Amino acid sequence: MKSFLAMLLASTLAMGAPAAAQQAPAPAPAPFPAASPKLIVAISVDQFAADLFQQYRNRFTGGFARLLSGGVFPSGYQSHAATETCPGHSTILTGFRPAHTGIVANNWIDQRVGRPDKVVYCSEDENVPGSSHDSYTVSDKHLKVPTLGERMKNADPRTRVVSVAGKDRAAVMMGGHKVDELWWWDGKTYVSYAGRAVPPVVQRTRDAVAALIARPQEALPLPGWCKPVDRPIAVGNQVIGQGRFQRAAGDLKAFRASPAADAAVFAMAAGLVQDMKLGQGPQTDIISIGASATDYIGHSLGTQGAEMCIQMNELDRTLDGFFEVLDQTGVDYEVVLTADHGAHDMTERQIERAMPMETHVDPQWQARIVGAAIGKAMGLKGPVLLGSDGDIYVDADLPAATRARVLAEAKRRYLAMPQVAAAFTRDQIAAQAWPTSPPETWTLLERARSSYDPERSGDLLVLLKPRVTTIEKAAPGYVETHGSPWDYDRRVPILFWRRGMTGFEQPLSVETVDIAPTLAATIGLPVSGLDGRCLDLDSGPADTCHR
């Protein structure tokens, strides 16, 4: 079957789909090239857990197989506690953990904003009149630090910075504040900031994707090696596990949670590389690509069914086709691929597979329920507590002494819950020293410290025990999630590749904040003061971090 990427490239690329590559044989493996690459390609596969990578790495024959011939770090860490999409993406190209990027969650509470629920979305401008956290104007204002692309552009204004993704928060957090092109899927088409011109390649992508969605999608073939996971599982009132991504004409939601959505993002990225001639000037350019379908598929269908297996196969093919387009430009490009967080398969399937302790969280842990009980006991009106998923804020309108009493009582009540592993006040977290040991050894408090921003974090952080999901009851479109401080949500692969480099594998832990200083070193860009460190990509005695 022709890949989704090949179909979309035929319409997206100015000269149609590329012919078979006619390039010289790859040079023999050698130490990491001394010259700076002309193009950096940073790819984030949303919810691509290290466990998922490990499960399918011996099945990859396309783009992932190419990356596996480079520098492989299978035990990368989004080392912080807030393992959500926005915080994770904010670490990849900044070199800073969420405590410094300011992106402490996908959403947080700001009791100063003029909204009834006081919720602020990480990639919005909440000061836009009439906006809400789920009907917002996209903005980069909450990202407190520069990205690698910004640093490159500051050092050489000729640098082009491009960012495309299936989610706005992925595009914004990887692109940063100084982007030449930034596009994301808004649920209907690809959009950018208001007032930006639409390049021809983006319009071609829009048209090609609209035509694809307008047609029904037949079931995708099941690779033979997917048969062991091709089993039904009952989750609430639905049965999943054997899906093939068939789609009715015009079904935008089903498109978003399918391999075709990733292919569309990579097709647009390939078109922008071609049209903008990225990597063909005297400077080094950078493009970041956020592939979001794995996350949507995981949330709606889980990680261990036929659906995810098909997704891994199709993403491997998409990456292969994308790299072929880059090869034909003749540009010397460097790739890094990682993820914003891991994930944990749905409770129902985990129970069937030897994990009877898996469970959904008790609804009684909700801040509004705990706050109502405290308010009743103390004779207080109002919400008393605000927040969700463990980030708890005490009502700012209460007197200071009352706030202290409410906080102490909230902590006591949460710690008494059998599903709760820890409850840390903001003072406890702020007093914790910055962790310096390998990320897998960090205490829960150290993991919390790496996500803590005094301006945005809550008054109390509640962390659930392992294998307790924050999903209270599974429903269509939402059967599994992430966001915990446990390693199944923290661990992600980190893969570096450049033509001609000698491949190697380092199984010991590294962090996603190490990516930015590592890439900066390969282009001779001085950086300092980051949370991450440079990783030596030369497998021999030479050192790419100190040239």
Side-chain angles (χ1 to χ4, degrees):
M1 186 188 97
K2 194 175 183 181
S3 73
F4 287 113
L5 182 71
M7 290 188 287
L8 291 167
L9 286 176
S11 300
T12 300
L13 295 184
M15 299 176 64
Q22 300 290 328
Q23 61 181 141
F32 198 85
S36 297
K38 302 300 294 182
L39 176 64
I40 291 174
V41 181
I43 301 169
S44 170
V45 178
D46 200 322
Q47 204 185 123
F48 190 39
D51 294 336
L52 191 60
F53 167 69
Q54 183 65 29
Q55 181 177 359
Y56 290 111
R57 64 177 292 177
N58 67 333
R59 300 295 188 179
F60 295 134
T61 59
F64 278 120
R66 181 188 298 217
L67 296 177
L68 281 165
S69 69
V72 179
F73 297 85
S75 191
Y77 275 79
Q78 290 282 3
S79 47
H80 49 272
T83 51
E84 296 181 332
T85 298
C86 214
H89 278 103
S90 79
T91 71
I92 294 171
L93 288 179
T94 65
F96 286 106
R97 299 174 185 130
H100 290 141
T101 69
I103 308 301
V104 299
N106 286 346
N107 299 283
W108 56 80
I109 299 294
D110 186 341
Q111 299 184 60
R112 301 165 297 180
V113 300
R115 294 176 176 175
D117 64 3
K118 307 300 182 184
V119 178
V120 173
Y121 174 58
C122 62
S123 295
E124 72 156 319
D125 182 353
E126 65 274 21
N127 295 319
V128 174
S131 65
S132 67
H133 75 279
D134 56 6
S135 179
Y136 52 84
T137 297
V138 175
S139 170
D140 57 29
K141 64 177 287 184
H142 292 307
L143 181 63
K144 292 184 173 183
V145 296
T147 60
L148 178 61
E150 289 179 67
R151 293 176 184 272
M152 292 167 63
K153 190 177 281 288
N154 289 338
D156 187 342
R158 297 173 298 180
T159 294
R160 274 86 57 78
V161 180
V162 177
S163 187
V164 296
K167 296 181 181 179
D168 56 58
R169 53 189 178 269
V172 170
M173 295 301 153
M174 293 179 74
H177 307 98
K178 295 183 178 181
V179 291
D180 294 273
E181 295 292 346
L182 187 143
W183 296 87
W184 66 86
W185 179 257
D186 73 345
K188 297 180 180 179
T189 190
Y190 291 97
V191 299
S192 187
Y193 298 130
R196 289 209 170 204
V198 181
V201 63
V202 173
Q203 190 57 53
R204 293 196 300 268
T205 305
R206 286 174 164 181
D207 294 342
V209 171
L212 180 67
I213 294 172
R215 300 189 299 269
Q217 173 62 54
E218 296 181 357
L220 300 183
L222 183 76
W225 42 269
C226 290
K227 289 182 180 179
V229 296
D230 183 32
R231 297 180 180 180
I233 177 74
V235 184
N237 59 359
Q238 60 178 331
V239 177
I240 57 182
Q242 295 185 299
R244 301 290 190 272
F245 297 107
Q246 54 265 56
R247 183 180 70 244
D251 191 337
L252 291 164
K253 188 175 181 180
F255 166 78
R256 184 183 70 171
S258 78
D262 282 345
V265 169
F266 279 99
M268 181 162 58
L272 286 164
V273 169
Q274 180 198 65
D275 281 21
M276 296 177 70
K277 294 181 169 54
L278 297 182
Q280 298 183 40
Q283 75 289 338
T284 299
D285 297 322
I286 182 170
I287 183 169
S288 56
I289 304 166
S292 305
T294 300
D295 185 70
Y296 288 125
I297 292 167
H299 281 304
S300 59
L301 300 166
T303 65
Q304 293 299 307
E307 301 93 346
M308 187 59 78
C309 190
I310 293 172
Q311 162 65 2
M312 290 293 99
N313 182 62
E314 291 296 321
L315 182 57
D316 188 39
R317 298 175 70 198
T318 291
L319 288 168
D320 194 40
F322 175 68
F323 293 148
E324 286 183 4
V325 173
L326 296 186
D327 290 343
Q328 292 174 52
T329 66
V331 169
D332 178 9
Y333 63 95
E334 179 179 14
V335 181
V336 64
L337 183 146
T338 189
D340 54 340
H341 53 73
H344 191 49
D345 195 31
M346 56 186 148
T347 300
E348 291 75 10
R349 189 153 49 207
Q350 295 282 30
I351 291 173
E352 285 193 359
R353 296 184 176 180
M355 291 294 140
M357 72 292 292
E358 295 275 342
T359 185
H360 293 277
V361 70
D362 188 326
Q364 296 301 310
W365 94 305
Q366 291 183 23
R368 63 177 180 81
I369 294 177
V370 176
I374 293 174
K376 182 177 181 181
M378 293 187 176
L380 302 173
K381 296 181 179 180
V384 183
L385 297 180
L386 300 86
S388 62
D389 288 355
D391 288 302
I392 311 299
Y393 300 74
V394 179
D395 185 353
D397 291 334
L398 294 173
T402 304
R403 282 173 51 83
R405 288 173 54 220
V406 168
L407 180 60
E409 179 61 12
K411 179 177 180 178
R412 186 192 69 79
R413 287 175 181 254
Y414 274 112
L415 288 175
M417 296 180 180
Q419 294 180 327
V420 170
F424 301 125
T425 65
R426 64 168 35 239
D427 288 343
Q428 282 181 284
I429 298 173
Q432 172 61 46
W434 200 250
T436 57
S437 61
E440 71 272 19
T441 68
W442 292 7
T443 66
L444 286 181
L445 192 53
E446 288 175 320
R447 300 175 195 195
R449 179 66 185 87
S450 294
S451 305
Y452 172 77
D453 181 311
E455 295 180 8
R456 297 171 183 169
S457 295
D459 298 299
L460 185 70
L461 176 64
V462 179
L463 301 175
L464 297 175
K465 291 180 179 178
R467 302 188 176 98
V468 180
T469 178
T470 55
I471 296 177
E472 296 172 11
K473 184 178 181 181
Y478 195 48
V479 301
E480 64 94 306
T481 193
H482 46 84
S484 82
W486 307 110
D487 281 0
Y488 47 74
D489 286 346
R490 297 170 75 219
R491 289 182 62 247
V492 298
I494 302 177
L495 313 174
F496 293 92
W497 181 88
R498 189 174 173 193
R499 184 170 294 279
M501 72 178 288
T502 300
F504 67 91
E505 181 154 341
Q506 173 51 267
L508 298 180
S509 61
V510 295
E511 298 182 63
T512 54
V513 293
D514 299 335
I515 292 171
T518 300
L519 296 175
T522 66
I523 60 173
L525 179 67
V527 294
S528 61
L530 306 183
D531 293 333
R533 65 180 181 90
C534 179
L535 304 174
D536 177 15
L537 298 182
D538 192 302
S539 61
D543 186 348
T544 58
C545 297
H546 302 94
R547 291 186 168 181

